[in-house]
C-alpha cells in the first residue's frame, strides 16, 4: 500500500513537473521561422521598387536603422541583443539574396520585370511591424535556441513553412540564410 501511494505521488509530481516544463523546441522555433518567412515575402516588392527607382540593393542607412531597432527591442524585452543583431543581419542578407536574384532575372529577361513600381513604403511598413515581432519571438525562444537538437528542429520547421508557402528554390535558400544564426 505504501509503495502504491509513493508511486502515485512520484507519478503525480512528474506529471506536474512536465506540465510546467518549457515548451518543446519546435513550438519555440515556429514563430521565428514564420516571421522570417513573412520578412522574406517583402523582398519581391522591395526588389521591384528598387528596380524602378534605380536604387541599389544595398541600403546601409536603412540596414543600420533596422539593426539599431532590433537591438533596442531585444534590450526592452529582456532578450539577448547579440542574438537579435546576428539574426537580423542574416534576415537583411536573406532579403538581399532574393532582391539580387530578382534583379539578375529581370536583367536577363526584361519581359519578366515588374511593369509598375510598387510602393516601397508599404513593404517597409511591413518590415517595421515584423522586425520587433521577430525579436520578440527570439526572446520568447530564449534557452530553446541553445537546446540540443535546435538545428534539426529549425531545419524541419523551415521545410514545413517553405512547403506550406510554396517557396521556390531561391526562397528556400534565402529562408535558410535568414535562420543561420538562430540556434546558438
Amino acid at each position: 500500500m505504501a509503495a502504491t501511494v509513493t508511486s502515485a505521488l512520484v507519478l503525480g509530481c512528474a506529471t506536474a513537473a512536465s506540465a510546467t516544463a518549457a515548451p518543446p523546441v519546435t513550438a519555440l522555433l515556429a514563430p521565428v521561422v514564420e516571421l522570417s518567412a513573412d520578412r522574406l515575402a517583402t523582398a519581391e516588392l522591395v526588389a521591384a521598387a528598387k528596380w524602378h527607382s534605380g536604387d541599389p540593393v544595398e541600403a546601409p542607412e536603412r540596414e543600420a536603422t533596422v539593426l539599431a531597432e532590433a537591438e533596442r527591442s531585444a534590450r526592452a524585452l529582456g532578450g539577448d541583443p547579440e542574438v537579435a543583431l546576428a539574426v537580423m543581419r542574416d534576415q537583411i542578407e536573406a532579403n538581399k539574396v532574393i532582391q539580387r536574384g530578382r534583379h539578375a532575372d529581370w536583367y536577363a529577361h526584361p519581359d519578366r520585370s515588374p511593369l509598375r513600381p510598387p510602393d516601397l513604403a508599404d513593404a517597409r511598413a511591413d518590415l517595421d511591424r515584423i522586425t520587433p515581432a521577430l525579436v520578440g519571438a527570439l526572446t520568447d525562444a530564449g534557452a530553446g535556441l541553445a537546446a540540443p537538437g535546435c538545428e534539426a528542429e529549425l531545419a524541419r520547421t523551415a521545410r514545413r513553412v517553405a512547403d506550406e508557402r510554396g517557396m521556390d528554390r531561391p526562397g528556400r535558400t534565402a529562408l535558410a540564410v535568414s535562420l543561420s544564426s538562430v540556434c546558438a
Side-chain angles (χ1 to χ4, degrees):
M1 174 84 167
T4 304
V5 171
T6 302
S7 295
L9 286 173
V10 168
L11 181 60
C13 290
T15 303
S18 65
T20 60
V25 174
T26 303
L28 297 171
L29 295 174
V32 173
V33 176
E34 293 282 348
L35 289 163
S36 294
D38 290 347
R39 256 187 133 270
L40 286 174
T42 67
E44 185 95 22
L45 291 175
V46 173
K50 290 179 179 179
W51 175 262
H52 281 282
S53 70
D55 289 343
V57 168
E58 303 292 327
E61 288 178 18
R62 171 72 179 164
E63 293 170 22
T65 300
V66 169
L67 292 171
E69 179 55 34
E71 185 176 25
R72 273 192 301 276
S73 292
R75 287 186 195 289
L77 295 169
D80 184 337
E82 293 304 315
V83 169
L85 284 171
V87 171
M88 289 314 302
R89 282 187 191 103
D90 293 342
Q91 298 286 319
I92 290 167
E93 188 55 40
N95 201 288
K96 291 189 289 188
V97 165
I98 291 178
Q99 291 177 52
R100 287 185 198 111
R102 295 303 185 246
H103 283 199
D105 183 51
W106 298 334
Y107 279 118
H109 306 282
D111 57 309
R112 296 182 192 168
S113 68
L115 298 176
R116 293 186 309 268
D119 187 356
L120 185 56
D122 289 342
R124 285 193 171 157
D126 285 342
L127 290 168
D128 290 343
R129 175 187 52 77
I130 295 166
T131 297
L134 179 56
V135 172
L138 289 166
T139 300
D140 291 346
L145 302 179
C150 180
E151 292 89 358
E153 285 300 320
L154 186 67
R156 274 192 285 279
T157 304
R159 275 192 304 279
R160 178 186 55 79
V161 169
D163 289 346
E164 289 171 359
R165 295 183 183 214
M167 292 178 132
D168 59 7
R169 181 170 292 195
R172 289 170 186 269
T173 299
L175 185 60
V177 169
S178 78
L179 300 169
S180 297
S181 298
V182 169
C183 294

